[in-house]
Amino acid sequence: MSTSSIPTLSRPLSGWGRYPVELCEQVRPERYQDLRPVAEQQIARGQGRSYGDAALGKRVILTERVNRLLAFDTATGILRAEAGVTLAEILAVIVPQGWFLPVTPGTQFVSLGGCVAADVHGKNHHHDGAFSQHVIAIELILADGSRVTCSATQNAALFWATVGGMGLTGVIGEVSLQLIPVSSPYVQVRHHAAANLAETFALFAAPALDDKYSVAWIDCLASGNDLGRSVLMCGHHAAQDDLPVALRQPAKLKKARAMPFDLPALALNPLSVKLFNAVYYRQQGHKTEPFFAHYSEYFYPLDSIAHWNRLYGKRGFVQYQCVIPDSGAFAAVTALLQALSQSRRPSFLAVLKRLGAQNQGLLSFAMAGYTLALDIPLRDDGVFALLRSLDEIVLQHGGRVYLAKDAVLTPQKFRIMYPRHAEWLALKQEIDPLQRFQSSLSSRLELTHG
Amino acid sequence: MAKTVLILGATSAIARATAAAFAAQGFDLYLAGRNADELGRIAADLAIRYQIKAASGVFRAEDLASHAQFFTQAIAEMGEMHGVVLALGHLGDQQAARDFSVGAEVILVNFTAAASILSHCASYLEARKQGFIIGISSVAGDRGRQSNYTYGAAKGALSLYLQGLRNRLFASGVRVITVKPGFVDTAMTYGMPGLFLVASPQYIGERIAQALGKSADVIYLPWFWRYIMLIIKSIPELVFKRLKL
Ligand SMILES: Cc1cc2nc3c(=O)[nH]c(=O)nc-3n(C[C@H](O)[C@H](O)[C@H](O)COP(=O)(O)OP(=O)(O)OC[C@H]3O[C@@H](n4cnc5c(N)ncnc54)[C@H](O)[C@@H]3O)c2cc1C
């Protein structure tokens, strides 16, 4: 394959965690027909909101300009679009017309292709499953340049290898998605405070408190009797008729403020975060009466500060996210939180969510249980030992870590956590025998080796 | 009824952003270019995002004989045409300066084809006594430099042509605006070494669509290119010819 005619740009690139940083050759197609393999080795990239090395590699295909909305049926809520479009762009079009995304991650600045490739989950996984379960079909561009439509019913094996497949089966070109109807841009939210981890789990399990969306913010710096104290935030889409009159006008969106520089490592020290968490716990824990929040505040609180990843300083951070099956979840989360507080490298942001049944995605992350996500700043190399010990806890309890956030897992542990890898690999070898799609994640975890 | 803008060369990043900015103002669009599939995708996208009417048609710039018919058909499809954005652009490569067989195409697309299609648009708008023509030229047309003087010459000729057209159409109330972008982050410049002050297509597109509401006839985008070019134009030839630009 000749690459001489395709303009490339070599630039250091990283995921959202800013670790690792690698020099990657990048190509940026603007036309749909140019979205295809261009070299011996490449990986597609959306908005680079995966935290680690999933969207890094020798050569990276930027999909940001291949972002057209192709069809939107406002009667059925079916949207077809090119994979580079962001959820933010989609929401801007669909919400005023009474539709919402069936599943959304905690930021809207991700691409449609990235959501399929990581088979992302939202705060409603326990009810509605992962992203792929709402995908009607995708057009996948294979290593040989051919284009295949796949879905849960058509070329199903390829579909289930691609969702959660981290871009390694090909370039996702187009996605058709089933949206859900909403009658307002607001979410009706209710908070419940939990004094410790046992209470947190009890709140999650209480049917009376269950709602379409739920997530618990955990105060990671609380220890001892307070270990795992949290605020459970539940919500569902508010009906237009339930809104107070003041909210019935089209909402004005606030402009994101930007984090203009890297914060010195000192600023986010355990003491300042401890203080912040205590205040936050009290404030948020008191909102036991239902209130209305605009969808952007409820689903995407961090998006209001552009480049918030700079908060963690130049060395960046790792987001550690794992899921533990129900039976071992309480013990594992306790052990994880304890390991963190003992290490004195506290996480500054921790959230716990419930996940429902696992789908047929061969490498999809979600499985029934609880998922814990932690932001851990990379102050020094000692962090890696901590992360390895967290991996051990997760393994012991039958859990797995999320590839879209991982930066440190090993090939051996990966294989235990993702038992369907062999099936996935067989299909990968069939459709991409020359291993044209490769990322730094795939080489680190030896994903394409038997 | 919404007004319609014809975008010529509609698949380039600048054209797409300009079309989006017009759509955001409520204009309907007729997108013209070579690649039917791409035009269809862009038209669908803009129609969905801005809830406007967007149609597209194949326009072959090099086929001058086809221009009259193309324009007639575009009007037939949209009912009428209120404005035209000319975004035809073809950079060629460095060889264009030395090898005329390459250079000829650069001149054909950037100037000859532009003059040809604009002649049809101009007569139509002149007869209607309203409307606008926005021609996207380039700062490269302000002074010949060894690095891309064939492209620069074609764009320079286009700038002069637009100037003349502005003079002719003034009496009939048709606006003619010349836009001279500096470096823009497009497929044309992607990966080029040594670029500075690169603007996003969105920025350029929004400014182009806003130009209608302002009085300037020639706009540099971003604005500071006016001053950069002022300096570059004022260097005496005696000195300039020794520079490596
Ligand atoms: C603040 C924040 C909150 C988050 N919350 C959640 C959450 O709640 N739930 C959750 O599941 N995730 C969450 N994430 C992770 C995020 O949703 C995923 O990492 C997602 O994949 C990022 O999309 P992207 O477009 O940025 O993809 P990138 O980071 O650019 O790429 C991610 C992967 O997708 C592949 N890919 C991207 N585009 C294509 C394509 N067109 N074809 C083939 N492969 C492609 C890449 O190769 C790579 O393997 C969060 C991330 C952030 C920063």
Side-chain angles (χ1 to χ4, degrees):
Chain A
M1 234 176 282
S2 149
T3 57
S4 56
S5 61
I6 302 162
T8 62
L9 190 61
S10 281
R11 245 187 337 168
L13 205 58
S14 71
W16 188 244
R18 308 174 85 200
Y19 169 85
V21 181
E22 291 172 17
L23 189 68
C24 308
E25 266 179 51
Q26 297 158 62
V27 295
R28 190 185 63 192
E30 300 208 357
R31 297 172 189 224
Y32 190 69
Q33 76 219 31
D34 297 332
L35 188 65
R36 56 186 162 80
V38 291
E40 300 305 322
Q41 256 187 51
Q42 59 250 297
I43 191 72
R45 179 178 172 101
Q47 289 290 312
R49 248 55 173 197
S50 54
Y51 282 78
D53 52 5
L56 302 181
K58 183 169 181 291
R59 192 177 278 245
V60 173
I61 302 175
L62 306 178
T63 61
E64 62 200 50
R65 296 241 168 136
V66 191
N67 66 342
R68 277 75 58 101
L69 303 176
L70 299 171
F72 176 30
D73 184 333
T74 51
T76 59
I78 295 176
L79 176 81
R80 184 164 68 90
E82 292 172 344
V85 72
T86 65
L87 299 187
E89 290 172 278
I90 293 176
L91 287 163
V93 172
I94 65 173
V95 176
Q97 303 192 62
W99 296 94
F100 202 79
L101 296 163
V103 165
T104 175
T107 169
Q108 52 180 333
F109 302 125
V110 290
S111 70
L112 199 49
C115 289
V116 173
D119 198 4
V120 301
H121 58 274
K123 299 174 171 69
N124 54 339
H125 190 275
H126 57 304
H127 290 298
D128 305 319
F131 202 82
S132 63
Q133 288 157 261
H134 307 270
V135 167
I136 295 169
I138 57 184
E139 181 164 271
L140 186 69
I141 303 153
L142 296 178
D144 63 5
S146 61
R147 287 155 196 255
V148 201
T149 301
C150 57
S151 70
T153 52
Q154 188 183 358
N155 294 312
L158 188 54
F159 180 75
W160 292 115
T162 298
V163 305
M166 305 308 288
L168 295 163
T169 56
V171 181
I172 297 159
E174 290 179 10
V175 181
S176 301
L177 186 65
Q178 176 65 61
L179 306 172
I180 56 166
V182 292
S183 65
S184 88
Y186 288 90
V187 179
Q188 183 164 1
V189 190
R190 188 171 217 155
H191 288 180
H192 309 279
N196 53 44
L197 194 64
E199 274 191 27
T200 303
F201 272 76
L203 292 182
F204 265 119
L209 301 186
D210 189 30
D211 212 341
K212 182 173 174 79
Y213 301 105
S214 67
V215 60
W217 166 85
I218 296 197
D219 178 356
C220 248
L221 287 136
S223 54
N225 291 339
D226 296 339
L227 186 81
R229 92 173 163 184
S230 73
V231 179
L232 180 67
M233 304 167 169
C234 299
H236 57 267
H237 295 283
Q240 178 75 12
D241 294 342
D242 295 345
L243 295 178
V245 180
L247 295 183
R248 293 193 192 176
Q249 319 308 327
K252 271 194 223 107
L253 287 182
K254 283 179 223 140
K255 244 196 134 142
R257 291 209 227 155
M259 183 66 205
F261 45 74
D262 299 334
L263 218 60
L266 252 177
L268 272 187
N269 63 59
L271 187 67
S272 64
V273 178
K274 200 169 178 128
L275 273 168
F276 170 83
N277 283 5
V279 172
Y280 190 77
Y281 175 73
R282 213 137 290 142
Q283 268 184 355
Q284 300 302 317
H286 277 144
K287 296 188 182 170
T288 48
E289 291 301 310
F291 63 97
F292 295 99
H294 191 263
Y295 75 81
S296 57
E297 292 165 48
Y298 180 72
F299 291 106
Y300 316 116
L302 290 165
D303 285 354
S304 60
I305 310 169
H307 305 296
W308 62 261
N309 51 349
R310 291 181 180 161
L311 275 171
Y312 289 104
K314 239 197 158 80
R315 279 207 72 179
F317 64 109
V318 170
Q319 176 157 109
Y320 189 83
Q321 184 171 0
C322 59
V323 54
I324 319 282
D326 283 308
S327 56
F330 181 74
V333 174
T334 307
L336 290 165
L337 292 178
Q338 275 166 350
L340 266 177
S341 67
Q342 275 157 23
S343 78
R344 295 208 230 145
R345 295 170 192 285
S347 159
F348 295 146
L349 186 78
V351 295
L352 186 66
K353 279 183 285 202
R354 242 174 98 191
L355 299 183
Q358 137 172 10
N359 62 30
Q360 299 161 66
L362 297 175
L363 297 184
S364 286
F365 164 70
M367 60 165 137
Y370 285 82
T371 176
L372 180 68
L374 307 159
D375 278 357
I376 304 177
L378 269 174
R379 293 264 176 71
D380 54 71
D381 293 340
V383 175
F384 297 108
L386 169 67
L387 294 170
R388 280 192 289 272
S389 70
L390 300 185
D391 283 343
E392 286 303 329
I393 298 173
V394 171
L395 270 181
Q396 271 166 27
H397 293 86
R400 61 168 67 123
V401 302
Y402 190 12
L403 297 182
K405 309 214 170 161
D406 176 57
V408 294
L409 195 65
T410 62
Q412 296 71 28
K413 287 181 187 156
F414 163 77
R415 279 160 177 68
I416 309 173
M417 292 178 176
Y418 286 86
R420 301 188 74 180
H421 171 247
E423 267 172 83
W424 180 85
L425 184 60
L427 197 121
K428 161 89 176 163
Q429 280 163 343
E430 205 178 296
I431 56 168
D432 184 11
L434 300 173
Q435 311 282 11
R436 286 220 153 109
F437 289 102
Q438 282 186 50
S439 61
S440 302
L441 173 89
S442 75
S443 0
R444 176 167 56 82
L445 297 180
E446 297 172 8
L447 285 181
T448 60
H449 304 204
Chain B
M1 213 186 80
K3 295 184 170 185
T4 300
V5 190
L6 165 66
I7 313 269
L8 294 156
T11 60
S12 79
I14 292 182
R16 200 185 144 197
T18 307
F22 274 108
Q25 293 183 12
F27 282 90
D28 286 336
L29 301 167
Y30 191 83
L31 307 179
R34 237 174 327 196
N35 187 326
D37 178 55
E38 274 297 298
L39 291 169
R41 285 170 181 274
I42 296 171
D45 179 63
L46 297 174
I48 294 171
R49 286 188 202 233
Y50 301 100
Q51 292 166 48
I52 51 136
K53 182 179 168 204
S56 62
V58 171
F59 170 67
R60 265 178 281 279
E62 329 76 59
D63 184 4
L64 305 181
S66 70
H67 289 187
Q69 212 218 321
F70 161 82
F71 190 62
T72 312
Q73 174 166 349
I75 293 169
E77 218 168 313
M78 300 306 288
E80 49 185 342
M81 208 62 85
H82 297 83
V84 177
V85 175
L86 175 99
L88 297 176
H90 176 53
L91 188 58
D93 57 26
Q94 280 351 359
Q95 277 305 24
R98 292 165 199 270
D99 178 354
F100 186 69
S101 62
V102 182
E105 202 195 333
V106 171
I107 295 168
L108 177 62
V109 175
N110 289 299
F111 178 63
T112 315
S116 161
I117 183 67
L118 286 184
S119 69
H120 301 290
C121 302
S123 303
Y124 170 81
L125 294 171
E126 190 172 40
R128 288 170 50 98
K129 298 199 180 310
Q130 56 168 309
F132 61 88
I133 291 173
I134 299 178
I136 303 180
S137 184
S138 168
V139 295
D142 278 11
R143 184 152 199 178
R145 296 171 300 125
Q146 62 179 320
S147 54
N148 67 352
Y149 60 84
T150 307
Y151 176 78
K155 286 297 194 183
L158 176 63
S159 295
L160 270 185
Y161 181 89
L162 290 166
Q163 197 173 46
L165 209 53
R166 178 158 45 243
N167 191 197
R168 167 184 150 199
L169 296 182
F170 179 76
S172 58
V174 177
R175 292 265 329 258
V176 177
I177 299 170
T178 309
V179 179
K180 296 183 179 179
F183 298 131
V184 187
D185 185 13
T186 63
M188 208 189 245
T189 59
Y190 187 76
M192 262 189 196
L195 294 194
F196 52 94
L197 304 171
V198 180
S200 74
Q202 284 69 26
Y203 172 90
I204 302 290
E206 281 162 19
R207 293 303 181 292
I208 291 175
Q210 282 165 10
L212 275 189
K214 304 196 171 150
S215 59
D217 295 316
V218 180
I219 55 173
Y220 285 80
L221 289 176
W223 58 271
F224 49 75
W225 278 96
R226 176 183 298 275
Y227 301 96
I228 295 177
M229 294 320 294
L230 208 63
I231 295 166
I232 290 186
K233 279 189 291 188
S234 67
I235 301 172
E237 201 62 38
L238 198 66
V239 178
F240 197 88
K241 70 181 181 195
R242 293 162 211 270
L243 300 178
K244 292 242 178 312
L245 280 166

